Structures are given as structure tokens and as C-alpha cells.
Amino acid sequence: QVQVMESGGGSVQAGDSLKLSCAVSGRPFSDLAMGWFRRFPGKDREFVAAVNWYGDKTNYADSVKDRFTIYRDNTQVYLQITSLKPEDTAIYYCAASFRWEYPYGPQYWGQGTEVTVSS
């Protein structure tokens, strides 16, 4: 069983930058393509970004391409967000998949980390 654990959320000011981190346990990290999703208040969860096993291929939602960057090292995946806006306020979920596909469809989910952006 793969367990996914996010960290790095919190309350920030508009214009700040934030880096979310995510680690997994239960399987080698290199076996997994990783992704991030978010859920706005009262909305369904939506795709944000994904990165393949090697870190050389990424997918982004069109709405985040200019301010969000997903990348990974040997042990974690990260979501770097710059120029945060109040409309980025959401719960951010890390996800893991054995497949690299479009659309990205993970099998495992973290519990989510909340990001609140104040104006």
C-alpha cells in the first residue's frame, strides 16, 4: 500500500511564494509518477500538475502554467507556487500513480494540505 504525505501548506499573503512537498512510503519513489490536485471551497477536486518517474516530463493545467512549477528529486515531489493570489486558496492534494498518462489518473492520494491566501 502506498501512503502519500503532503506538507508545506499554511496562511500566506497575496504575492508570496510557497513550496508544497510530498513524500511517499510503501513503494520506491522512483516507481511512481506524481501529481498535485486542488479543491476549492465547495468545488470538486481538479488537476494541477504532474511529473513522470524521471522528472523530465510534466503536465500542467492551463490555469496554473505561469505560476506553478512541479519538480521532483530522489525522495520528494514539490509544487512551487509564485505570486500567490486569494483565488489560489484551496486544499492541495498530492497523488501517486504507477502510470504516466494523460489525463493523469492517480491510484493513491494524500490527505491534503490547506493553503489560504489573504489579500
Coordinates of all heavy atoms in Angstrom, one line a residue, residues 34-104:
M34 N 4.1 11.3 -10.1 CA 3.5 12.1 -9.0 C 2.7 13.3 -9.6 O 3.0 13.9 -10.6 CB 4.5 12.6 -8.1 CG 5.4 11.5 -7.4 SD 4.4 10.4 -6.4 CE 3.8 11.5 -5.1
G35 N 1.7 13.7 -8.8 CA 0.9 14.8 -9.2 C 0.3 15.6 -8.1 O 0.4 15.2 -6.9
W36 N -0.2 16.8 -8.4 CA -0.9 17.6 -7.5 C -2.3 18.0 -8.0 O -2.5 18.3 -9.2 CB -0.1 18.9 -7.2 CG 1.2 18.7 -6.5 CD1 2.4 18.5 -7.0 CD2 1.3 18.7 -5.0 NE1 3.3 18.4 -6.0 CE2 2.7 18.5 -4.8 CE3 0.4 18.9 -4.0 CZ2 3.2 18.5 -3.5 CZ3 0.9 18.8 -2.7 CH2 2.3 18.6 -2.4
F37 N -3.2 18.0 -7.1 CA -4.6 18.4 -7.4 C -5.0 19.5 -6.3 O -4.3 19.6 -5.3 CB -5.6 17.3 -7.3 CG -5.4 16.3 -8.4 CD1 -4.3 15.4 -8.5 CD2 -6.4 16.1 -9.4 CE1 -4.2 14.5 -9.5 CE2 -6.3 15.2 -10.4 CZ -5.2 14.4 -10.4
R38 N -6.1 20.2 -6.6 CA -6.6 21.1 -5.5 C -8.1 21.1 -5.5 O -8.7 20.8 -6.6 CB -6.0 22.5 -5.7 CG -6.4 23.2 -7.0 CD -5.8 24.5 -7.1 NE -6.1 25.2 -8.4 CZ -5.6 26.4 -8.8 NH1 -4.8 27.0 -8.0 NH2 -5.9 26.9 -10.0
R39 N -8.6 21.4 -4.4 CA -10.1 21.5 -4.3 C -10.4 22.9 -3.7 O -10.0 23.2 -2.5 CB -10.6 20.5 -3.3 CG -12.1 20.4 -3.3 CD -12.7 19.6 -2.1 NE -12.1 18.2 -2.1 CZ -12.7 17.2 -2.7 NH1 -13.8 17.4 -3.4 NH2 -12.1 16.0 -2.6
F40 N -11.1 23.7 -4.5 CA -11.6 25.0 -4.0 C -12.8 24.8 -3.1 O -13.5 23.8 -3.2 CB -12.0 25.9 -5.2 CG -10.8 26.3 -6.1 CD1 -10.8 25.9 -7.4 CD2 -9.8 27.0 -5.6 CE1 -9.8 26.2 -8.2 CE2 -8.7 27.3 -6.4 CZ -8.7 26.9 -7.7
P41 N -13.1 25.7 -2.2 CA -14.2 25.6 -1.3 C -15.5 25.3 -2.1 O -15.8 26.1 -3.0 CB -14.3 26.9 -0.6 CG -12.8 27.3 -0.6 CD -12.3 26.9 -1.9
G42 N -16.2 24.3 -1.8 CA -17.5 24.0 -2.5 C -17.4 23.4 -3.9 O -18.4 23.3 -4.6
K43 N -16.1 23.1 -4.3 CA -15.9 22.6 -5.7 C -15.3 21.2 -5.7 O -14.9 20.7 -4.6 CB -15.0 23.6 -6.4 CG -15.4 25.0 -6.5 CD -16.7 25.1 -7.4 CE -17.0 26.6 -7.6 NZ -18.2 26.8 -8.4
D44 N -15.4 20.6 -6.8 CA -14.7 19.3 -7.0 C -13.2 19.4 -7.1 O -12.7 20.5 -7.5 CB -15.2 18.6 -8.3 CG -16.7 18.2 -8.2 OD1 -17.2 18.0 -7.0 OD2 -17.3 18.0 -9.2
R45 N -12.5 18.4 -6.8 CA -11.1 18.4 -6.9 C -10.7 18.5 -8.4 O -11.3 17.9 -9.2 CB -10.5 17.1 -6.3 CG -9.0 17.1 -6.1 CD -8.6 16.0 -5.1 NE -9.3 14.7 -5.3 CZ -9.2 13.7 -4.4 NH1 -8.6 13.9 -3.2 NH2 -9.8 12.6 -4.7
E46 N -9.6 19.3 -8.6 CA -9.2 19.5 -10.0 C -7.7 19.3 -10.2 O -6.9 19.5 -9.2 CB -9.5 20.9 -10.5 CG -8.8 22.0 -9.8 CD -9.1 23.4 -10.4 OE1 -10.3 23.6 -10.8 OE2 -8.2 24.2 -10.5
F47 N -7.3 18.9 -11.3 CA -5.9 18.6 -11.6 C -5.1 19.9 -11.7 O -5.6 20.9 -12.2 CB -5.8 17.9 -13.0 CG -4.4 17.8 -13.5 CD1 -3.5 16.8 -13.0 CD2 -3.9 18.6 -14.6 CE1 -2.2 16.7 -13.4 CE2 -2.7 18.4 -15.0 CZ -1.8 17.5 -14.5
V48 N -3.9 19.8 -11.1 CA -3.0 21.0 -11.2 C -1.7 20.7 -12.0 O -1.5 21.4 -13.0 CB -2.5 21.4 -9.7 CG1 -1.5 22.5 -9.8 CG2 -3.7 21.8 -8.9
A49 N -1.0 19.6 -11.7 CA 0.2 19.3 -12.4 C 0.6 17.9 -12.1 O 0.2 17.3 -11.1 CB 1.3 20.3 -11.9
A50 N 1.5 17.3 -13.0 CA 2.0 16.0 -12.8 C 3.4 15.9 -13.3 O 3.7 16.7 -14.3 CB 1.1 15.0 -13.4
V51 N 4.2 15.0 -12.8 CA 5.5 14.8 -13.3 C 5.8 13.3 -13.4 O 5.3 12.5 -12.5 CB 6.6 15.5 -12.4 CG1 6.5 14.9 -10.9 CG2 8.0 15.4 -12.9
N52 N 6.5 12.9 -14.4 CA 6.7 11.4 -14.6 C 7.8 10.9 -13.6 O 8.3 11.6 -12.8 CB 7.1 11.1 -16.1 CG 8.4 11.6 -16.5 OD1 9.1 12.4 -15.8 ND2 8.9 11.1 -17.6
W53 N 8.1 9.6 -13.8 CA 9.0 9.0 -12.8 C 10.4 9.6 -12.8 O 11.1 9.6 -11.8 CB 9.2 7.5 -13.2 CG 7.9 6.7 -13.5 CD1 7.1 6.1 -12.6 CD2 7.3 6.5 -14.8 NE1 6.1 5.6 -13.2 CE2 6.2 5.8 -14.5 CE3 7.7 6.8 -16.1 CZ2 5.3 5.3 -15.6 CZ3 6.8 6.4 -17.1 CH2 5.7 5.7 -16.8
Y54 N 10.8 10.1 -14.0 CA 12.2 10.6 -14.1 C 12.3 12.1 -13.9 O 13.4 12.6 -13.8 CB 12.7 10.2 -15.5 CG 12.5 8.8 -15.9 CD1 11.7 8.4 -16.9 CD2 13.2 7.7 -15.2 CE1 11.5 7.1 -17.3 CE2 13.0 6.4 -15.5 CZ 12.1 6.1 -16.6 OH 11.9 4.8 -16.9
G55 N 11.2 12.7 -13.9 CA 11.2 14.2 -13.7 C 11.4 15.0 -15.0 O 11.6 16.2 -14.9
D56 N 11.4 14.3 -16.1 CA 11.7 15.0 -17.4 C 10.5 15.3 -18.2 O 10.6 15.9 -19.3 CB 12.7 14.2 -18.2 CG 12.2 12.9 -18.6 OD1 11.3 12.4 -18.0 OD2 12.9 12.3 -19.5
K57 N 9.3 14.9 -17.7 CA 8.1 15.2 -18.4 C 7.1 15.7 -17.4 O 6.9 15.1 -16.3 CB 7.5 14.0 -19.1 CG 8.4 13.5 -20.3 CD 7.7 12.3 -21.0 CE 8.6 11.8 -22.1 NZ 8.0 10.7 -22.9
T58 N 6.4 16.8 -17.7 CA 5.4 17.4 -16.8 C 4.1 17.7 -17.6 O 4.2 17.9 -18.8 CB 5.9 18.6 -16.2 OG1 6.4 19.6 -17.2 CG2 7.1 18.3 -15.2
N59 N 3.0 17.8 -16.9 CA 1.8 18.3 -17.4 C 1.3 19.3 -16.4 O 1.4 19.1 -15.2 CB 0.7 17.1 -17.5 CG 1.0 16.2 -18.7 OD1 1.6 16.7 -19.7 ND2 0.6 15.0 -18.6
Y60 N 0.6 20.3 -17.0 CA 0.0 21.4 -16.1 C -1.4 21.7 -16.6 O -1.7 21.6 -17.8 CB 0.8 22.7 -16.2 CG 2.2 22.6 -15.5 CD1 3.3 22.3 -16.3 CD2 2.3 22.9 -14.2 CE1 4.6 22.2 -15.7 CE2 3.6 22.9 -13.6 CZ 4.7 22.6 -14.3 OH 5.9 22.5 -13.7
A61 N -2.2 22.0 -15.7 CA -3.5 22.6 -16.0 C -3.2 24.0 -16.6 O -2.3 24.7 -16.2 CB -4.4 22.8 -14.8
D62 N -4.0 24.4 -17.6 CA -3.7 25.7 -18.3 C -3.8 26.8 -17.3 O -3.0 27.8 -17.5 CB -4.7 25.9 -19.4 CG -4.5 24.9 -20.6 OD1 -3.4 24.4 -20.7 OD2 -5.4 24.8 -21.4
S63 N -4.6 26.7 -16.3 CA -4.8 27.8 -15.4 C -3.6 28.1 -14.5 O -3.6 29.2 -13.9 CB -6.0 27.6 -14.6 OG -5.9 26.4 -13.8
V64 N -2.6 27.2 -14.4 CA -1.5 27.4 -13.5 C -0.2 27.4 -14.1 O 0.8 27.6 -13.4 CB -1.5 26.2 -12.4 CG1 -2.9 26.1 -11.8 CG2 -1.1 24.9 -13.1
K65 N -0.1 27.3 -15.4 CA 1.2 27.2 -16.1 C 2.1 28.3 -15.8 O 3.4 28.1 -15.8 CB 0.9 27.1 -17.6 CG 0.5 25.7 -18.1 CD 0.3 25.6 -19.6 CE -0.1 24.2 -20.0 NZ -0.3 24.2 -21.5
D66 N 1.6 29.5 -15.6 CA 2.5 30.7 -15.5 C 3.1 30.9 -14.1 O 4.1 31.6 -13.9 CB 1.8 31.9 -15.9 CG 0.5 32.2 -15.1 OD1 0.0 31.3 -14.5 OD2 0.1 33.4 -15.2
R67 N 2.5 30.2 -13.1 CA 2.9 30.5 -11.7 C 3.2 29.2 -10.9 O 3.8 29.3 -9.8 CB 1.8 31.3 -11.0 CG 1.6 32.6 -11.5 CD 0.6 33.4 -10.6 NE -0.7 32.8 -10.6 CZ -1.3 32.2 -9.5 NH1 -0.6 32.2 -8.4 NH2 -2.4 31.7 -9.6
F68 N 3.0 28.0 -11.4 CA 3.2 26.8 -10.7 C 4.3 26.0 -11.4 O 4.3 25.9 -12.6 CB 1.9 26.0 -10.7 CG 0.8 26.5 -9.8 CD1 0.4 27.9 -9.8 CD2 0.1 25.7 -8.9 CE1 -0.6 28.4 -9.0 CE2 -0.9 26.1 -8.1 CZ -1.3 27.5 -8.2
T69 N 5.1 25.4 -10.6 CA 6.1 24.5 -11.1 C 6.2 23.2 -10.3 O 6.3 23.3 -9.0 CB 7.5 25.2 -11.0 OG1 7.5 26.4 -11.7 CG2 8.6 24.3 -11.7
I70 N 6.1 22.1 -11.0 CA 6.2 20.8 -10.3 C 7.6 20.2 -10.6 O 8.0 20.3 -11.8 CB 5.1 19.8 -10.7 CG1 5.1 18.6 -9.9 CG2 5.1 19.5 -12.2 CD1 3.9 17.6 -10.1
Y71 N 8.2 19.7 -9.6 CA 9.5 19.0 -9.9 C 9.7 18.0 -8.8 O 9.0 18.0 -7.7 CB 10.7 20.0 -9.9 CG 10.9 20.8 -8.7 CD1 11.9 20.5 -7.8 CD2 10.1 22.0 -8.4 CE1 12.1 21.2 -6.6 CE2 10.3 22.7 -7.3 CZ 11.3 22.4 -6.4 OH 11.6 23.1 -5.3
R72 N 10.7 17.1 -9.0 CA 11.0 16.1 -8.0 C 12.4 15.9 -7.9 O 13.2 16.1 -8.8 CB 10.3 14.8 -8.4 CG 10.7 14.2 -9.7 CD 9.9 13.0 -10.2 NE 9.9 11.9 -9.3 CZ 9.1 10.9 -9.3 NH1 8.0 10.9 -10.1 NH2 9.2 9.9 -8.4
D73 N 12.8 15.3 -6.7 CA 14.2 14.8 -6.6 C 14.1 13.3 -6.3 O 13.1 12.7 -6.6 CB 14.9 15.6 -5.5 CG 14.3 15.6 -4.1 OD1 13.5 14.7 -3.9 OD2 14.5 16.5 -3.3
N74 N 15.0 12.8 -5.6 CA 15.0 11.3 -5.4 C 14.0 10.9 -4.3 O 13.7 9.7 -4.3 CB 16.4 10.8 -5.0 CG 17.4 10.9 -6.2 OD1 17.0 10.9 -7.3 ND2 18.7 11.0 -5.8
T75 N 13.5 11.8 -3.5 CA 12.7 11.4 -2.4 C 11.3 12.1 -2.3 O 10.4 11.6 -1.6 CB 13.4 11.6 -1.1 OG1 13.8 12.9 -0.9 CG2 14.7 10.7 -1.0
Q76 N 11.2 13.3 -3.0 CA 10.0 14.0 -2.8 C 9.6 14.7 -4.1 O 10.4 14.9 -5.0 CB 10.2 15.1 -1.7 CG 10.4 14.6 -0.3 CD 10.2 15.7 0.7 OE1 9.1 16.0 1.1 NE2 11.3 16.2 1.2
V77 N 8.3 15.1 -4.2 CA 7.9 15.9 -5.3 C 7.4 17.2 -4.7 O 7.0 17.3 -3.5 CB 6.7 15.2 -6.0 CG1 5.5 15.0 -5.1 CG2 6.3 16.0 -7.3
Y78 N 7.6 18.3 -5.4 CA 7.3 19.6 -4.9 C 6.4 20.4 -5.9 O 6.4 20.1 -7.1 CB 8.6 20.4 -4.8 CG 9.7 19.7 -4.0 CD1 10.7 18.9 -4.7 CD2 9.7 19.8 -2.6 CE1 11.6 18.2 -3.9 CE2 10.7 19.1 -1.9 CZ 11.6 18.3 -2.6 OH 12.6 17.7 -1.8
L79 N 5.7 21.3 -5.3 CA 4.9 22.2 -6.1 C 5.2 23.6 -5.6 O 4.9 24.0 -4.5 CB 3.4 22.0 -5.9 CG 2.5 22.8 -6.8 CD1 2.6 22.4 -8.3 CD2 1.0 22.7 -6.4
Q80 N 5.9 24.3 -6.5 CA 6.3 25.7 -6.2 C 5.3 26.6 -6.8 O 5.0 26.6 -8.0 CB 7.7 26.0 -6.8 CG 8.2 27.4 -6.6 CD 8.7 27.6 -5.2 OE1 9.4 26.9 -4.6 NE2 8.3 28.7 -4.6
I81 N 4.8 27.5 -6.0 CA 3.8 28.5 -6.4 C 4.3 29.9 -6.1 O 4.7 30.2 -5.0 CB 2.4 28.3 -5.7 CG1 2.0 26.8 -5.6 CG2 1.3 29.1 -6.3 CD1 0.8 26.5 -4.7
T82 N 4.3 30.7 -7.2 CA 4.7 32.1 -7.0 C 3.5 33.0 -7.2 O 2.5 32.7 -7.7 CB 5.8 32.4 -8.0 OG1 5.3 32.2 -9.4 CG2 7.0 31.5 -7.9
S83 N 3.8 34.3 -6.7 CA 2.8 35.3 -6.9 C 1.4 34.8 -6.5 O 0.4 34.9 -7.2 CB 2.7 35.8 -8.3 OG 4.0 36.3 -8.7
L84 N 1.3 34.3 -5.3 CA 0.0 33.7 -4.8 C -1.1 34.7 -4.8 O -0.9 35.9 -4.5 CB 0.2 33.1 -3.4 CG 0.8 31.7 -3.4 CD1 1.5 31.4 -2.1 CD2 -0.3 30.7 -3.6
K85 N -2.3 34.3 -5.2 CA -3.5 35.1 -5.2 C -4.5 34.5 -4.3 O -4.5 33.3 -4.0 CB -4.1 35.1 -6.6 CG -3.1 35.5 -7.7 CD -3.7 35.4 -9.1 CE -2.7 35.8 -10.2 NZ -3.3 35.7 -11.5
P86 N -5.4 35.3 -3.8 CA -6.5 34.8 -2.9 C -7.3 33.7 -3.6 O -7.7 32.7 -2.9 CB -7.4 36.0 -2.7 CG -6.5 37.2 -2.8 CD -5.5 36.8 -3.8
E87 N -7.4 33.7 -4.9 CA -8.1 32.6 -5.6 C -7.4 31.3 -5.6 O -7.9 30.3 -6.1 CB -8.5 33.1 -7.0 CG -7.4 33.7 -7.8 CD -7.4 35.2 -7.8 OE1 -7.6 35.8 -6.7 OE2 -7.2 35.8 -8.8
D88 N -6.1 31.3 -5.2 CA -5.4 30.0 -5.0 C -5.7 29.3 -3.7 O -5.3 28.2 -3.5 CB -3.9 30.3 -5.0 CG -3.4 30.8 -6.4 OD1 -3.8 30.3 -7.4 OD2 -2.5 31.7 -6.4
T89 N -6.5 30.0 -2.9 CA -6.9 29.3 -1.6 C -7.7 28.0 -1.9 O -8.7 28.0 -2.6 CB -7.8 30.3 -0.8 OG1 -7.1 31.4 -0.4 CG2 -8.4 29.6 0.4
A90 N -7.1 26.9 -1.4 CA -7.7 25.6 -1.7 C -7.0 24.6 -0.8 O -6.0 24.9 -0.1 CB -7.5 25.3 -3.2
I91 N -7.5 23.4 -0.8 CA -6.8 22.3 -0.3 C -6.0 21.6 -1.4 O -6.6 21.3 -2.4 CB -7.7 21.3 0.4 CG1 -8.5 22.0 1.5 CG2 -7.0 20.1 0.9 CD1 -9.6 21.1 2.2
Y92 N -4.7 21.4 -1.2 CA -3.9 20.9 -2.2 C -3.6 19.4 -1.9 O -3.1 19.1 -0.8 CB -2.6 21.7 -2.4 CG -2.9 23.0 -3.1 CD1 -3.5 24.1 -2.4 CD2 -2.5 23.2 -4.4 CE1 -3.8 25.3 -3.0 CE2 -2.8 24.4 -5.1 CZ -3.4 25.4 -4.4 OH -3.7 26.6 -5.0
Y93 N -3.8 18.6 -2.8 CA -3.6 17.1 -2.6 C -2.4 16.6 -3.5 O -2.3 16.9 -4.7 CB -4.8 16.3 -3.0 CG -6.0 16.7 -2.2 CD1 -6.9 17.7 -2.5 CD2 -6.3 15.9 -1.1 CE1 -8.0 18.0 -1.8 CE2 -7.5 16.2 -0.3 CZ -8.3 17.2 -0.7 OH -9.4 17.5 0.1
C94 N -1.6 15.8 -2.9 CA -0.6 15.1 -3.6 C -1.1 13.8 -4.0 O -1.9 13.2 -3.3 CB 0.7 15.0 -2.8 SG 2.1 14.2 -3.6
A95 N -0.7 13.3 -5.1 CA -1.2 12.0 -5.6 C -0.1 11.2 -6.3 O 0.9 11.8 -6.8 CB -2.3 12.2 -6.6
A96 N -0.2 9.9 -6.3 CA 0.8 9.0 -6.9 C 0.1 8.0 -7.8 O -1.0 7.5 -7.6 CB 1.5 8.3 -5.8
S97 N 0.9 7.7 -8.9 CA 0.4 6.7 -9.9 C 1.5 5.9 -10.4 O 2.6 6.4 -10.5 CB -0.3 7.4 -11.0 OG -0.7 6.5 -12.0
F98 N 1.2 4.6 -10.7 CA 2.2 3.8 -11.3 C 2.3 4.0 -12.8 O 3.2 3.6 -13.5 CB 1.9 2.3 -11.1 CG 2.1 1.9 -9.7 CD1 1.1 1.5 -8.9 CD2 3.4 1.9 -9.1 CE1 1.3 1.2 -7.5 CE2 3.6 1.5 -7.8 CZ 2.5 1.2 -7.0
R99 N 1.3 4.8 -13.3 CA 1.2 5.0 -14.8 C 1.5 6.5 -15.1 O 1.2 7.4 -14.3 CB -0.2 4.7 -15.3 CG -0.5 3.2 -15.1 CD -1.9 2.9 -15.8 NE -3.0 3.7 -15.2 CZ -3.7 3.2 -14.2 NH1 -3.5 2.0 -13.7 NH2 -4.7 3.9 -13.7
W100 N 2.1 6.7 -16.2 CA 2.2 8.1 -16.8 C 1.3 8.2 -17.9 O 1.5 7.5 -18.9 CB 3.6 8.4 -17.2 CG 3.8 9.7 -17.8 CD1 4.2 10.0 -19.1 CD2 3.6 11.0 -17.1 NE1 4.3 11.4 -19.3 CE2 3.9 12.0 -18.1 CE3 3.2 11.4 -15.9 CZ2 3.8 13.4 -17.8 CZ3 3.1 12.7 -15.6 CH2 3.4 13.7 -16.5
E101 N 0.2 9.0 -17.8 CA -0.8 9.0 -18.8 C -1.5 10.4 -18.8 O -1.3 11.2 -17.8 CB -1.9 7.9 -18.4 CG -2.5 8.1 -17.1 CD -3.4 6.9 -16.6 OE1 -3.6 6.0 -17.5 OE2 -3.8 6.9 -15.5
Y102 N -2.2 10.6 -19.8 CA -3.0 11.9 -19.9 C -4.4 11.5 -20.2 O -4.7 10.8 -21.2 CB -2.4 12.8 -21.0 CG -3.2 14.1 -21.1 CD1 -2.8 15.1 -20.2 CD2 -4.2 14.3 -22.0 CE1 -3.5 16.3 -20.3 CE2 -4.9 15.5 -22.0 CZ -4.5 16.5 -21.2 OH -5.2 17.7 -21.2
P103 N -5.4 12.0 -19.4 CA -5.2 12.8 -18.2 C -4.6 11.9 -17.1 O -4.7 10.7 -17.1 CB -6.6 13.2 -17.8 CG -7.5 12.2 -18.4 CD -6.8 11.8 -19.6
Y104 N -3.9 12.6 -16.2 CA -3.2 11.9 -15.1 C -4.2 11.4 -14.1 O -5.1 12.1 -13.7 CB -2.3 12.9 -14.4 CG -1.6 12.4 -13.2 CD1 -0.6 11.5 -13.3 CD2 -2.0 12.8 -11.9 CE1 0.1 11.0 -12.1 CE2 -1.3 12.3 -10.8 CZ -0.3 11.4 -10.9 OH 0.3 10.9 -9.8

